[in-house]
Amino acid sequence: MFYRKPLEERIADRVAKRKPLEEGKTFEHGPAKFVFISLIVIVVTTHVVGIAIAMHFT
């Protein structure tokens, strides 16, 4: 009555139901793409500001 499949089997069932990834599509998950691009923008901006501050004081 309360039997549930183990977690590994439930994950495997979900993965098997997914459609195959499209060719050339890196991120299938929208929020992951947003987080990835945001982190890259933050890192680049931080480096540019850091270099500008370092050049100002030298």
Side-chain angles (χ1 to χ4, degrees):
M1 184 166 125
F2 294 104
Y3 174 76
R4 286 179 68 172
K5 289 183 180 180
L7 181 62
E8 293 85 4
E9 288 182 23
R10 287 185 280 160
I11 292 172
D13 289 344
R14 250 184 271 143
V15 169
K17 289 180 186 176
R18 283 191 209 157
K19 63 180 181 178
L21 287 178
E22 297 174 17
E23 184 74 27
K25 190 173 182 184
T26 306
F27 291 97
E28 64 176 356
H29 197 256
K33 183 179 181 180
F34 174 76
V35 169
F36 179 73
I37 292 174
S38 298
L39 287 174
I40 293 213
V41 167
I42 289 170
V43 167
V44 169
T45 304
T46 305
H47 279 81
V48 169
V49 169
I51 290 171
I53 291 172
M55 290 176 67
H56 177 72
F57 288 112
T58 57

